[in-house]
Structures are given as C-alpha cells and as structure tokens.
Amino acid sequence: QVHIVQSGGGLVQPGGSLRLSCATFGFTLDDYYIGWFRQAPGKEREGVSCISSGDGVTYYADSVKGRFTISRNNAKNAVYLQMSNLKPEDTAVYYCAADRNPFGITTIQNMCVMPPPYDYWGQGTQVTVSS
C-alpha cells in the first residue's frame, strides 16, 4: 500500500526544537520531490520547505528560513523537517507530501509556493508552540 506516516509533532516552548519525520511506503522515495506544508486555523496553507529529487535542491519560505532544515534519507525511506527556534506563529498542523514532478517541470520554489496536486500526503501532525 502506498502511504506516508508522520511523527514528531507535539507541544514545545518558544525557542525550542522539534524534528518531524515522514516514513514512506510503497514507492521509490528518491524519485520524488518532497514538500512540507502547514496550515493554522484561519490561515492559508503555507509551503514551508521543499526538496527536489536527484540534486536535492531546497527551498524555504521566508518565515522559516534559517530556522528549519529539510532533509531526506532515501535509504531509510524517510524525510525530515528539523525545526529550531520555534515561535508561536509556527503553530499549525504540518503535512509532508511527495510528488513525482516528472522532468522537474515545476520549479522547486513553485513546488512550495504554487504547488501542483501532490501524489501522496501524510496524515498531518500538530505542532503547538506555546509557553
């Protein structure tokens, strides 16, 4: 069965860190672009960070640049979002998603900013940053 399982969410104080993980099943991870998205109540969905297949080119939203790091371990069928110096405005449900993006037709920036319909989605995990 093709699916993605997320873990790593939780409650953290401002300035703290969390690492979100996605484990993928049923497809070849290294052929897929990965996106991390978040959605907070009353806010539009935001593409947080994306990483390409192959070259591993990355994109970060300005709101998280310098604080978050996206990575992938294809041998472990896993992708990660390391979040540091968390702020209350980071509170949201976070989703990871995978898309083949054949021939890289969509740029890495647009995979986050103007994303196509992704092929597969994780179930989401809540991140709450609060004191």
Side-chain angles (χ1 to χ4, degrees):
Q1 181 183 3
V2 175
H3 64 286
I4 300 172
V5 178
Q6 296 186 225
S7 61
L11 175 65
V12 64
Q13 294 184 350
S17 299
L18 283 174
R19 188 179 76 160
L20 306 183
S21 300
C22 284
T24 63
F25 302 86
F27 62 95
T28 302
L29 180 60
D30 61 9
D31 289 336
Y32 284 75
Y33 284 59
I34 299 296
W36 284 96
F37 299 85
R38 67 187 183 187
Q39 188 156 24
K43 302 291 183 65
E44 295 182 350
R45 185 186 68 182
E46 179 183 21
V48 174
S49 183
C50 292
I51 186 168
S52 70
S53 62
D55 294 342
V57 178
T58 58
Y59 168 85
Y60 296 93
D62 288 342
S63 57
V64 307
K65 193 173 298 181
R67 300 188 298 117
F68 290 12
T69 302
I70 189 171
S71 63
R72 60 194 301 158
N73 189 326
N74 294 327
K76 295 183 177 181
N77 295 314
V79 299
Y80 309 98
L81 186 68
Q82 177 66 49
M83 306 183 295
S84 299
N85 191 24
L86 283 160
K87 303 175 180 180
E89 52 263 44
D90 295 319
T91 296
V93 177
Y94 284 71
Y95 300 88
C96 66
D99 190 77
R100 181 66 177 83
N101 192 22
F103 306 104
I105 194 167
T106 303
T107 67
I108 188 64
Q109 178 175 351
N110 281 340
M111 288 298 289
C112 270
V113 176
M114 298 180 63
Y118 272 64
D119 293 330
Y120 309 116
W121 288 85
Q123 81 278 15
T125 188
Q126 177 71 46
V127 172
T128 302
V129 184
S130 177
S131 59

